[in-house]
């Protein structure tokens, strides 16, 4: 996405600047954004409840409350970060792309920490750990996803081309979902039971793939 969406000097624009014509490179670059985003998003959506209830042994009702609190916080965080991004000045690398690169590593690290179990801790510790890691991960997800979603408006001004970007973005998300839902259970479960060590392995694998996608 970093290289695929950078400005080129082929098509004349106002002010003497030129950009490369919109094409397949832009579509593939934008696809990799949601491909990377959804490695962890789908992993959390599909298996985090299992991890919390079967590995952390948190009461399912408490997990439901956690998810509700996180969604309420996300509503505030999304608006706040969106306003922050809107006030940033464009750089040589654009307005949105630098923030994707700056925040992608903290996002992946926190995503991995979500699936780490520290042995021998109390139930209260695991619940508090789940609150902190999940809410911070959700906040960091916004810091990457919001500028990524906003990039379509500056990649092209053509409505047809923007629709094309949206389609490729959806394809990237579907590809990540397919990988997680097919490969995920193979990694995460041993004899049909979730394994704590396997969750860490999966988080490391999918986190590494997410970083590759953000850079691509």
């Amino acid at each position: 996405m970093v290289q695929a969406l950078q400005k080129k000097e082929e098509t004349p624009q106002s002010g003497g600047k030129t950009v490369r014509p919109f094409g397949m490179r832009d579509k593939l670059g934008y696809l990799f954004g949601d491909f990377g985003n959804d490695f962890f998003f789908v992993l959390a959506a599909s298996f985090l409840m299992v991890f919390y209830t079967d590995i952390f042994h948190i009461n399912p009702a408490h997990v439901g409350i956690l998810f509700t609190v996180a969604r309420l916080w996300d509503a505030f965080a999304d608006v706040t970060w969106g306003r922050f991004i809107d006030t940033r000045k464009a750089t040589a690398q654009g307005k949105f792309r630098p923030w994707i690169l700056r925040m992608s590593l903290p996002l992946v690290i926190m995503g991995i920490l979500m699936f780490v179990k520290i042995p021998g801790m109390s139930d209260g510790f695991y619940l508090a750990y789940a609150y902190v890691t999940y809410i911070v991960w959700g906040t960091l997800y916004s810091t990457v996803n919001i500028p990524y979603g906003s990039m379509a408006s500056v990649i092209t001004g053509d409505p047809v081309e923007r629709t094309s970007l949206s389609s490729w973005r959806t394809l990237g998300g579907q590809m990540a979902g397919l990988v997680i839902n097919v490969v995920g259970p193979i990694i995460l479960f041993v004899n049909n039971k979730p394994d704590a060590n396997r969750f860490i392995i999966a988080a490391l694998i999918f986190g590494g793939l997410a970083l590759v996608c953000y850079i691509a």
Side-chain angles (χ1 to χ4, degrees), residues 113-126:
L113 290 176
M114 273 199 310
F115 293 100
V116 172
K117 180 182 181 181
I118 304 174
M121 306 306 290
S122 66
D123 292 342
F125 174 87
Y126 290 130

Side-chain angles (χ1 to χ4, degrees), residues 123-145:
D123 292 342
F125 174 87
Y126 290 130
L127 180 60
Y129 185 86
Y131 264 89
V132 172
T133 55
Y134 183 66
I135 291 176
V136 172
W137 171 78
T139 303
L140 291 173
Y141 181 81
S142 296
T143 66
V144 172
N145 194 50

